[in-house]
Amino acid sequence: MKARLLPLAAAAAACALSLSSCGGGSTTPSGSDTAGTLRIGIKFDQPGLGLKQGSEYTGFDVDVARYIAKELGKEGKIEFKEAPTPQREVLIETGQVDYIVGTYSITDARKQKVSFAGPYFVAGQDLLVRSTDTNITGPESLTGKKLCSVKGSTPAKKVKDLYPQTQLQEYDTYSKCVEELAADTIDAVTTDNTILAGYASQPQYAGKLRLVGKTFSTENYGVGLKKGDTAMCQKITDALNKMITSGEWQQIVTKNFGPAGFKVDTKANPPKPAACA
């Protein structure tokens, strides 16, 4: 009996040392391995920032998210999850994502629910027009013009409040606005300049659309994470600082915004990430 028990005891000890080799490893609710898969929220529908095409993810925010993951030692252990604007705080609060990199402007209202690392980029509301249009030079020249934005968005609200003389058209997506602009049925599209640059750089619009280049807001993009998680905030902040000082930030900017001829505001960029609180 003793001779038969010895191999069993050895097997049990081996399992205790390596649960995964015995099939006992646990997983997160999404099926990610607990060894460290990062669930990162991004946009799936913003060219140049966060775009999902098949199984491929591209864009400035995607590259920033990957850089952070690499600095956290999680390169190759990423699960991207779609983070639509209205759902971002819920995704973070309920633990469905570890952090979000998705044109996420840092605001006092949002700080009530989540914490931020950053900013890692300073954007601003701008206008997208047809390349041949020289009449629209800024928001003050929109009188009587047909302007498009997304229903319920901050850019749409700003236009209503500050430029009521504009004929504002509101759609569900910016892609629809851009299609209408290219079809010559509206005169301009407004949202963050980074988003507009992404659309302008798409092959079907190359050379046909351009940014006016006169911003009329300040949007500090940050990495959203669980409120009060100072340790994670500091790790992400360290990664952002390294990305900026190493020159990687500039490479990512050029790669994603260069094709649209997007001129980054060098007075505001690259920004200095704030201290975690």
Side-chain angles (χ1 to χ4, degrees):
M1 289 293 291
K2 289 183 179 180
R4 294 181 62 189
L5 287 173
L6 284 174
L8 292 175
C15 281
L17 289 173
S18 179
L19 285 174
S20 60
S21 65
C22 301
S26 61
T27 59
T28 65
S30 61
S32 300
D33 189 285
T34 53
T37 297
L38 277 175
R39 293 162 298 166
I40 307 174
I42 59 170
K43 293 297 180 69
F44 278 13
D45 61 348
Q46 291 183 345
L49 287 157
L51 184 66
K52 181 179 186 292
Q53 293 178 302
S55 60
E56 296 295 315
Y57 301 90
T58 59
F60 177 71
D61 282 338
V62 173
D63 287 343
V64 170
R66 284 181 170 137
Y67 184 91
I68 294 170
K70 177 174 67 73
E71 290 302 306
L72 293 176
K74 305 296 184 181
E75 188 174 18
K77 297 182 178 180
I78 298 173
E79 177 188 351
F80 284 124
K81 297 178 71 71
E82 186 172 17
T85 297
Q87 299 175 24
R88 289 183 295 203
E89 284 80 29
V90 172
L91 290 171
I92 293 171
E93 290 175 322
T94 57
Q96 295 181 60
V97 297
D98 295 298
Y99 58 83
I100 289 178
V101 189
T103 58
Y104 205 176
S105 295
I106 302 170
T107 67
D108 289 338
R110 288 170 178 163
K111 284 181 180 178
Q112 299 301 310
K113 297 181 177 180
V114 301
S115 290
F116 285 98
Y120 61 88
F121 192 88
V122 179
Q125 186 171 348
D126 203 344
L127 299 169
L128 186 69
V129 298
R130 286 179 290 279
S131 297
T132 55
D133 189 336
T134 57
N135 294 318
I136 299 177
T137 57
E140 68 284 345
S141 61
L142 290 172
T143 301
K145 301 291 185 180
K146 293 181 180 178
L147 178 67
C148 190
S149 194
V150 165
K151 190 179 301 181
S153 67
T154 301
K157 184 178 186 303
K158 185 177 289 292
V159 168
K160 290 177 182 177
D161 292 343
L162 301 180
Y163 307 100
Q165 73 278 15
T166 302
Q167 297 179 34
L168 182 64
Q169 310 288 316
E170 295 180 87
Y171 293 126
D172 292 330
T173 64
Y174 288 115
S175 56
K176 177 62 176 175
C177 287
V178 176
E179 288 172 9
E180 294 295 317
L181 176 64
D184 205 17
T185 56
I186 62 167
D187 299 303
V189 180
T190 188
T191 184
D192 294 355
N193 52 4
T194 50
I195 298 172
L196 297 177
Y199 281 114
S201 67
Q202 288 186 292
Q204 66 266 41
Y205 302 128
K208 299 178 181 178
L209 307 176
R210 67 176 180 85
L211 273 72
V212 169
K214 186 175 182 180
T215 57
F216 47 105
S217 78
T218 300
E219 309 297 334
N220 291 290
Y221 289 169
V223 179
L225 63 148
K226 196 85 167 182
K227 185 169 176 61
D229 191 346
T230 308
M232 176 61 90
C233 178
Q234 189 58 57
K235 290 177 182 178
I236 294 176
T237 299
D238 290 344
L240 294 177
N241 277 316
K242 183 177 178 180
M243 178 180 69
I244 291 169
T245 58
S246 68
E248 186 72 18
W249 179 91
Q250 185 59 57
Q251 292 179 33
I252 293 173
V253 166
T254 302
K255 169 189 171 184
N256 291 287
F257 299 143
F262 176 51
K263 293 180 174 59
V264 174
D265 181 357
T266 54
K267 291 182 179 179
N269 287 290
K272 174 66 178 175
C276 295

